[in-house]
């Protein structure tokens, strides 16, 4: 199970570690469901390079392909990004929050007791 | 044929039957869909509701079952209960890919004036990653509402 998650996340990080692939994702974010031709028109890359990058993005499940007749449409799929944010960043954030609340508890224990507010005042 | 607007997929270590049950049984949807129950008998032509739990449930989304082929394909109309003209379509497709289940959700056929795309496009990734977590680990993720 651990190897399975690592494999999925490796594919996503590898896909994101390239400027051209991020540009492709940005392009789909602007306008979802583009064909290869449409994507090529917006990017300064050869058709072969775009095809290669799209295959890697598909393998990482960051891009989903839908066929409409003979047209192959590419869609941005943000689900794996959300999984990473929840499983990784969320996990570290929780630890940091726990550390902070521990620090707060420790500091408050050493604090001289506050004066009770004067009800009459 | 118009372009579908929103397409999401997730690969889940599970079986098509378990994925189908997780989508259609309120005791499961509550655990990964921000506490919301999706209720219907899931037969073609039946009504379905997405609602909060409790004695006076608040209905977030409603609609009809357009097509139901367990455990492979479920097509729903997706209606804002506060604006019954705001009708769109959601299709769930469940298929086996190698040793995992690929779940694809397509949300399309939005009316030109619909506010739904902006309301659900952040929600679906949250719900689907929460569903994946629920089926693989037994726990959904916090704050996974959609719509």
């Amino acid at each position: 199970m651990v190897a399975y998650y690592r494999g999925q996340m490796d594919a996503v990080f590898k896909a994101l570690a390239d400027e051209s692939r991020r540009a492709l994702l940005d392009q789909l974010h602007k306008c979802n469901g583009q064909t290869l031709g449409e994507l090529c028109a917006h990017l300064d890359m050869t058709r072969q390079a775009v095809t290669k990058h799209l295959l890697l993005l598909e393998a990482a499940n960051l891009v989903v392909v839908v066929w409409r007749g003979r047209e192959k449409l590419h869609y941005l799929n943000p689900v794996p990004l959300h999984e990473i944010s929840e499983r990784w960043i969320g996990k570290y954030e929780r630890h940091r929050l726990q550390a902070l609340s521990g620090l707060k508890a420790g500091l408050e224990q050493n604090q001289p007791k506050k004066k009770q507010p004067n009800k009459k005042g | 044929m118009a372009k579908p607007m929103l397409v999401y997929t997730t690969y889940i270590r599970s079986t098509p039957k378990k994925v189908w049950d997780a989508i259609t049984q309120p005791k499961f949807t509550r655990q990964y869909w921000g506490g919301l129950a999706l209720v219907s008998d899931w037969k073609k032509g039946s009504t379905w509701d997405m609602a909060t739990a409790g004695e006076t449930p608040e209905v977030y989304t409603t609609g009809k079952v357009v097509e139901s082929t367990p455990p492979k394909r479920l097509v729903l109309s997706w209606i804002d209960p506060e604006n019954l003209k705001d009708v769109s379509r959601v299709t769930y497709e469940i298929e086996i890919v190698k040793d995992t289940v690929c779940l694809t959700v397509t949300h399309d056929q939005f009316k030109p004036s619909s506010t739904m795309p902006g309301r659900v496009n952040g929600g679906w990734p949250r719900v689907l990653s929460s569903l994946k977590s629920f089926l693989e680990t037994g726990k959904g993720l916090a704050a996974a509402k959609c719509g």
Side-chain angles (χ1 to χ4, degrees), chain A residues 90-104:
Chain A
K91 187 166 73 182
Y92 291 125
E93 207 129 314
R94 271 196 293 281
H95 287 159
R96 203 171 62 200
L97 291 175
Q98 276 164 7
L100 273 177
S101 59
L103 177 66
K104 177 179 153 77

Side-chain angles (χ1 to χ4, degrees), chain A residues 2-119:
Chain A
V2 171
Y4 157 71
Y5 289 132
R6 202 164 47 216
Q8 282 191 330
M9 284 193 180
D10 279 354
V12 176
F13 281 116
K14 190 184 168 199
L16 292 174
D18 181 277
E19 203 183 339
S20 305
R21 288 194 284 275
R22 292 197 298 272
L24 270 169
L25 293 177
D26 284 340
Q27 197 45 242
L28 290 176
H29 188 253
K30 263 190 221 158
C31 176
N32 221 352
Q34 296 189 55
T35 60
L36 177 63
E38 286 168 333
L39 282 167
C40 289
H42 290 110
L43 295 162
D44 191 18
M45 274 186 255
T46 63
R47 202 174 168 92
Q48 288 82 355
V50 175
T51 306
K52 194 188 81 186
H53 288 313
L54 281 174
L55 281 175
L56 229 138
L57 289 167
E58 277 176 51
N61 195 26
L62 289 166
V63 164
V64 182
V65 163
V66 174
W67 285 94
R68 187 181 58 168
R70 279 191 192 173
E71 268 185 327
K72 191 181 182 187
L73 306 176
H74 300 85
Y75 286 84
L76 173 64
N77 181 42
V79 179
L81 295 177
H82 195 265
E83 281 157 16
I84 283 182
S85 139
E86 271 297 321
R87 291 219 175 114
W88 280 54
I89 299 162
K91 187 166 73 182
Y92 291 125
E93 207 129 314
R94 271 196 293 281
H95 287 159
R96 203 171 62 200
L97 291 175
Q98 276 164 7
L100 273 177
S101 59
L103 177 66
K104 177 179 153 77
L107 287 172
E108 281 175 354
Q109 266 179 9
N110 297 329
Q111 190 93 335
K113 274 191 180 166
K114 269 187 192 166
K115 260 173 117 182
Q116 290 294 315
N118 189 345
K119 280 178 188 166

